[in-house]
Amino acid sequence: MSLIELSNIKVDFKQSNQVITAVQNVNLKVERGQIFGIVGYSGAGKSTLVRTINLLQRPTHGSVKINDIEMTSLSPVELRLKRQKIGMIFQHFNLLEEMTVKQNILHPLKRSKQTTNQKESKAKQLLELVGLTDQANAYPYQLSGGQKQRVAIARALVNDPDILISDESTSALDPKTTQQILELLNHLNLTLHLTILVITHEMQVIEALADQVAIMEHGQIIEQGSVQNVFNQPKQALTQEFITLSQGFSIQKPQYN
Ligand SMILES: Nc1ncnc2c1ncn2[C@@H]1O[C@H](COP(=O)(O)OP(=O)(O)OP(=O)(O)O)[C@@H](O)[C@H]1O
């Protein structure tokens, strides 16, 4: 049994008198402990697809199973509890500017029945895990982009999730900081056995981090497999294009005599 199993997913958006199909015919299985990458250009449907996993986006058709439980059949209360086990991080961090690092991390626990001591101890443990112990009382504006993403990661882990969804989490960061965040995600995968879904338009992120990859175009998965196989033997022209682009830019300059 796979941890995540998406079957025949379709997502339509209705806008006045037209229908936009953002995702269609998607079948995807993610095993526990995997790092699964989803690659595609802007508008390919990556974010819409992963938002169906915690039903932030309800699919028009299809089945979403987490741990063999059909998410689309859950009551609102059951769904809220299941969602707590799926953390998310984003490109622009989405921190609350008026709150300190520690308050941001503990924010998802605001309605929890945990004692202050339990929350303090959780915050301490998470601050240590993401390397921000000294910044507990700082505000987001005092932090670098990489530090902000570390706060967001700690916040995403506060309910001990089984799954972390990273939606372009390194796209606003410079290469060195990207490397550090990818190392942290890899560390979390290994030490917490966290299953991670990585959405990106950068194939080098997939190459560095993921075990499996799916390539999306026009709302569909056009190719998927192990990172090794897909990189060694890409079947689709778009996959080849992403691999070529990940090896850096090559500009043909005119020759002047
Ligand atoms: N709420 C919405 N209403 C209408 N159309 C939407 C909505 N959300 C997404 N879309 C459309 O669905 C398609 C897929 O968008 P989506 O954001 O999932 O792509 P993406 O691959 O994640 O790209 P990006 O990285 O730019 O977010 C796009 O054509 C987008 O305009």
Side-chain angles (χ1 to χ4, degrees), residues 56-76:
L56 285 180
Q57 176 62 56
R58 215 165 252 280
T60 314
H61 289 302
S63 148
V64 178
K65 281 189 179 166
I66 310 284
N67 241 334
D68 221 21
I69 291 171
E70 180 57 55
M71 297 289 278
T72 56
S73 307
L74 296 179
S75 70

Side-chain angles (χ1 to χ4, degrees), residues 111-128:
R111 282 198 219 107
S112 117
K113 293 194 175 74
Q114 290 187 34
T115 63
T116 308
N117 273 350
Q118 284 171 322
K119 289 183 186 175
E120 284 294 318
S121 135
K122 189 76 198 171
K124 187 166 176 281
Q125 177 204 336
L126 287 169
L127 283 162
E128 221 171 279

Side-chain angles (χ1 to χ4, degrees), residues 16-227:
S16 51
N17 54 2
Q18 64 162 347
V19 175
I20 297 165
T21 300
V23 174
Q24 55 186 326
N25 301 328
V26 168
N27 293 292
L28 196 75
K29 284 183 183 176
V30 180
E31 308 304 327
R32 188 179 289 279
Q34 261 180 357
I35 303 186
F36 195 108
I38 300 178
V39 181
Y41 285 122
S42 184
K46 309 180 296 294
S47 299
T48 305
L49 177 64
V50 295
R51 283 164 57 84
T52 66
I53 292 172
N54 51 12
L55 292 199
L56 285 180
Q57 176 62 56
R58 215 165 252 280
T60 314
H61 289 302
S63 148
V64 178
K65 281 189 179 166
I66 310 284
N67 241 334
D68 221 21
I69 291 171
E70 180 57 55
M71 297 289 278
T72 56
S73 307
L74 296 179
S75 70
V77 175
E78 288 170 328
L79 181 57
R80 194 163 53 78
L81 291 173
K82 293 283 176 211
R83 272 188 185 148
Q84 289 177 355
K85 294 293 174 188
I86 306 174
M88 280 189 100
I89 52 173
F90 306 93
Q91 181 173 0
H92 296 298
F93 325 121
N94 298 7
L95 300 181
L96 295 159
E97 293 295 321
E98 70 286 3
M99 288 189 183
T100 65
V101 165
K102 190 164 79 180
Q103 288 166 341
N104 265 284
I105 293 172
L106 291 177
H107 188 64
L109 299 182
K110 63 181 185 301
R111 282 198 219 107
S112 117
K113 293 194 175 74
Q114 290 187 34
T115 63
T116 308
N117 273 350
Q118 284 171 322
K119 289 183 186 175
E120 284 294 318
S121 135
K122 189 76 198 171
K124 187 166 176 281
Q125 177 204 336
L126 287 169
L127 283 162
E128 221 171 279
L129 185 64
V130 300
L132 285 179
T133 303
D134 294 342
Q135 271 78 32
N137 298 315
Y139 286 87
Y141 75 89
Q142 297 170 303
L143 304 178
S144 68
Q147 288 173 322
K148 287 183 195 175
Q149 197 55 283
R150 285 168 190 273
V151 179
I153 290 170
R155 180 181 58 185
L157 297 179
V158 79
N159 279 308
D160 301 315
D162 301 317
I163 300 167
L164 178 70
I165 296 174
S166 160
D167 191 348
E168 300 278 6
S169 69
T170 56
S171 299
L173 304 175
D174 62 55
K176 192 170 161 214
T177 312
T178 294
Q179 172 83 23
Q180 291 164 346
I181 294 295
L182 296 182
E183 277 166 11
L184 175 59
L185 293 176
N186 194 44
H187 177 73
L188 299 175
N189 170 252
L190 293 174
T191 55
L192 307 178
H193 307 293
L194 190 65
T195 304
I196 305 181
L197 259 97
V198 181
I199 299 177
T200 182
H201 63 276
E202 296 175 318
M203 203 63 162
Q204 55 271 48
V205 167
I206 299 297
E207 193 176 14
L209 191 63
D211 308 307
Q212 295 282 316
V213 61
I215 292 93
M216 278 193 86
E217 187 181 33
H218 306 313
Q220 307 205 44
I221 292 179
I222 58 161
E223 180 162 4
Q224 61 176 312
S226 74
V227 169

